[in-house]
Amino acid sequence: MEEKKRLVAVGFEGSANKIGVGIVSLDGAILANPRHTYVTPPGQGFLPRETANHHLHHLLPLLHSAMAEASLSPSDLACLCYTKGPGMGAPLQVAAVAVRLLSQLWNKPIVAVNHCVAHIEMGRCVTGAEDPVVLYVSGGNTQVIAFSEGRYRIFGETIDIAVGNCLDRFARVLTLSNDPSPGYNIEQLAKKGEKFIDLPYVVKGMDVSFSGILSYIEATATEKLKNNECTPADLCYSLQETIFAMLVEITERAMAHCDKKDVLIVGGVGCNERLQEMMRIMCSERGGRLFATDDRYCVDNGAMIAYTGLLAYQRGITTPLEDTTFTQRFRTDEVEAVWREDEG
Ligand code: FE2
């Protein structure tokens, strides 16, 4: 009976401007997944120190409410999981320190988790996508990934800023609200856009670049708006169409290269319905399917960390206390996805 007991873990995510605590079981049931977002005033981004203070303030109340929602006590948990990286240093540190303390207090093992791999595993779990090409798009990451020989390999990526960072910074130029997110407000405004403004289209082999597009649109936006040549909605529309087309192009190239039919989009920008629509058209033209999730799972959350930590834990992996550090750079392909090793 004992082996049949459900394995349950708690996961802490705090690599960017959200602090999340998730409780999940190995069969993918999400028992609780509360999170709190640090929202800055329009025109401002989030800075590491203030974001870390925000996380510190909210972590324990979130843990209390998650445990209450799941009706669990610490003794029910198999392990404690946290985001080791990549992300912003100070915010990452908050979850790393909290998990060390809780591990001592509750006498539970720790599993350190790669944030990008967690997005992929949560996406696969929620959508049922088995072996897709993954487009991971967020404020800090832009990668086209596929599973090959035991690891998630990066086939294409940004060579400068992340796609979400490009959108966030353009939202600051237009002083759009950061609530619920700058990208969401760009998406809504883009629906009213009528005129397409030509922007640089920068694909280099399997990689993309967004910094030149951002500089160009930042420099011309004020000028064009002042001369009534276009509206803010036209600029949002043009920016989305251009950068999403670039992402669809490199994803399609990776599909052809890896001979895979399906695509899974994860990460905060993955909630964008226009990006999903463009990707869905490309997939269906190739006889494949698009898998995507809504903002509960594509945006950073604690459940994705707990679930991925459990996948490793059931294969006997835990992180010794002295290695429960955090790191701003932690590449997706550094992790051996041992839970998929039977797939080769
Ligand atoms: Fe993320």
Side-chain angles (χ1 to χ4, degrees):
M1 276 309 276
E2 194 48 36
E3 305 107 48
K4 288 209 159 179
K5 208 175 136 196
R6 217 151 68 139
L7 276 185
V8 176
V10 61
F12 297 87
E13 157 57 36
S15 62
N17 69 335
K18 290 164 195 71
I19 178 79
V21 179
I23 300 178
V24 305
S25 60
L26 191 54
D27 55 17
I30 291 152
L31 310 178
N33 198 18
R35 71 173 163 230
H36 201 279
T37 303
Y38 176 48
V39 177
T40 50
Q44 290 180 30
F46 51 94
L47 297 169
R49 196 198 317 181
E50 285 77 5
T51 311
N53 282 339
H54 165 269
H55 290 4
L56 206 49
H57 188 75
H58 288 282
L59 190 144
L60 286 178
L62 284 171
L63 176 62
H64 279 295
S65 71
M67 294 293 276
E69 191 185 334
S71 304
L72 292 176
S73 64
S75 61
D76 299 317
L77 301 169
C79 57
L80 311 176
C81 314
Y82 77 103
T83 304
K84 179 170 183 165
M88 293 167 83
L92 279 169
Q93 189 178 24
V94 175
V97 170
V99 91
R100 278 183 173 210
L101 279 167
L102 290 167
S103 140
Q104 301 290 295
L105 202 61
W106 293 347
N107 196 25
K108 297 287 174 187
I110 300 176
V111 183
V113 173
N114 176 293
H115 180 89
C116 314
V117 172
H119 269 298
I120 299 170
E121 293 304 347
M122 190 81 233
R124 290 177 65 226
C125 173
V126 170
T127 64
E130 280 179 12
D131 189 26
V133 165
V134 181
L135 176 67
Y136 171 30
V137 273
S138 69
N141 294 279
T142 306
Q143 297 177 348
V144 178
I145 303 158
F147 182 73
S148 172
E149 294 174 10
R151 287 171 195 243
Y152 287 107
R153 315 271 172 186
I154 301 167
F155 283 81
E157 62 191 317
T158 177
I159 55 171
D160 41 57
I161 60 171
V163 61
N165 191 245
C166 177
L167 289 166
D168 291 355
R169 285 161 67 174
F170 186 59
R172 274 181 237 161
V173 173
L174 298 181
T175 57
L176 297 181
S177 167
N178 290 323
D179 187 17
S181 71
Y184 178 82
N185 292 317
I186 287 190
E187 181 182 359
Q188 303 318 310
L189 199 51
K191 289 177 185 166
K192 298 185 192 132
E194 286 169 357
K195 186 169 155 191
F196 182 78
I197 313 289
D198 261 330
L199 296 171
Y201 181 97
V202 195
V203 172
K204 299 182 180 188
M206 296 294 285
D207 294 331
V208 284
S209 157
F210 299 109
S211 66
I213 300 171
L214 180 66
S215 308
Y216 180 87
I217 197 166
E218 277 176 343
T220 55
T222 336
E223 187 80 11
K224 284 191 189 292
L225 291 173
K226 203 165 63 191
N227 301 338
N228 281 329
E229 285 174 49
C230 65
T231 64
D234 293 334
L235 290 170
C236 291
Y237 161 69
S238 309
L239 182 61
Q240 280 201 164
E241 294 299 303
T242 305
I243 62 183
F244 293 167
M246 290 161 50
L247 294 172
V248 171
E249 180 183 331
I250 60 165
T251 306
E252 182 171 18
R253 198 167 294 139
M255 289 165 85
H257 183 74
C258 306
D259 198 22
K260 296 191 201 273
K261 285 228 168 309
D262 298 332
V263 171
L264 169 66
I265 307 183
V266 298
V269 182
C271 304
N272 188 300
E273 289 179 358
R274 179 58 184 149
L275 172 61
Q276 292 181 10
E277 183 185 17
M278 290 167 75
M279 197 67 82
R280 189 174 291 115
I281 293 168
M282 182 273 284
C283 289
S284 67
E285 283 173 357
R286 298 182 64 88
R289 288 170 298 171
L290 170 70
F291 294 91
T293 58
D294 61 35
D295 70 327
R296 285 171 302 168
Y297 304 115
C298 70
V299 173
D300 296 349
N301 64 86
M304 69 186 209
I305 304 302
Y307 178 67
T308 308
L310 265 186
L311 292 175
Y313 179 80
Q314 52 131 11
R315 291 295 180 120
I317 293 175
T318 57
T319 308
L321 192 65
E322 60 272 24
D323 295 336
T324 53
T325 50
F326 61 94
T327 169
Q328 295 187 61
R329 298 193 188 282
F330 186 3
R331 279 179 67 87
T332 315
D333 51 14
E334 285 177 46
V335 179
E336 271 187 75
V338 289
W339 53 91
R340 291 191 67 171
E341 68 190 5
D342 308 338
E343 301 171 41

